[in-house]
Amino acid sequence: MNRSDKVFIAVVLLLSVGLFFSTGKLISAVDSDSSHAVVMYKDEEILRLNMNKDGHYTVPGDLGDVVIEIKDGRIRVADEISPLNYCSIQGWVDKTNVPIVCLPNKILIVVEADNTATEEDIIIR
């Protein structure tokens, strides 16, 4: 084992320790208690929903109305008109990295975390 091997091992260890400690921040961003859902139709935001308020919401799609249900901080497409009903089959979503995509109706539902109060501001000079 020569000097370059030892440097390589040290760099790999430092990177793995840094990634280990940064996963907590990543998990808190993906699994936030306070979040909202953004419903988009043809790449335009048509509805912004609070994930903490239960209810049913109806939005227009290309093939007909799409009924969105929010319950216990989770969201799903309860009823829709499409050939294979993939949106309804997908089920409940509560994570920010799992979108609901209804291609025949051109509806996209994305869960976003409301962690603007806890984010740090970074200024680079």
Side-chain angles (χ1 to χ4, degrees):
M1 184 182 299
N2 57 18
R3 185 174 194 272
S4 61
D5 292 338
K6 292 178 184 178
V7 169
F8 177 73
I9 291 171
V11 168
V12 168
L13 283 175
L14 286 173
L15 285 174
S16 62
V17 168
L19 287 173
F20 176 75
F21 288 114
S22 66
T23 55
K25 180 76 170 172
L26 179 64
I27 289 173
S28 69
V30 170
D31 190 22
S32 177
D33 288 336
S34 61
S35 59
H36 61 275
V38 177
V39 181
M40 299 172 67
Y41 174 64
K42 293 184 179 179
D43 294 332
E44 293 181 17
E45 181 179 330
I46 58 171
L47 195 58
R48 187 172 289 263
L49 304 169
N50 186 349
M51 295 285 288
N52 296 324
K53 294 183 181 177
D54 296 348
H56 288 78
Y57 306 92
T58 304
V59 295
D62 273 2
L63 301 177
D65 289 342
V66 177
V67 179
I68 300 168
E69 179 182 5
I70 296 179
K71 185 175 183 181
D72 299 329
R74 302 177 304 162
I75 190 168
R76 73 176 179 140
V77 173
D79 189 29
E80 43 105 10
I81 300 170
S82 67
L84 299 175
N85 296 330
Y86 283 129
C87 307
S88 302
I89 293 171
Q90 184 173 351
W92 295 98
V93 173
D94 61 349
K95 304 286 186 215
T96 58
N97 59 349
V98 182
I100 299 174
V101 181
C102 296
L103 285 182
N105 285 308
K106 294 187 173 80
I107 298 286
L108 173 67
I109 303 170
V110 179
V111 178
E112 294 180 350
D114 290 336
N115 56 359
T116 56
T118 60
E119 287 185 11
E120 298 104 14
D121 288 336
I122 299 174
I123 298 174
I124 300 174
R125 295 181 188 206

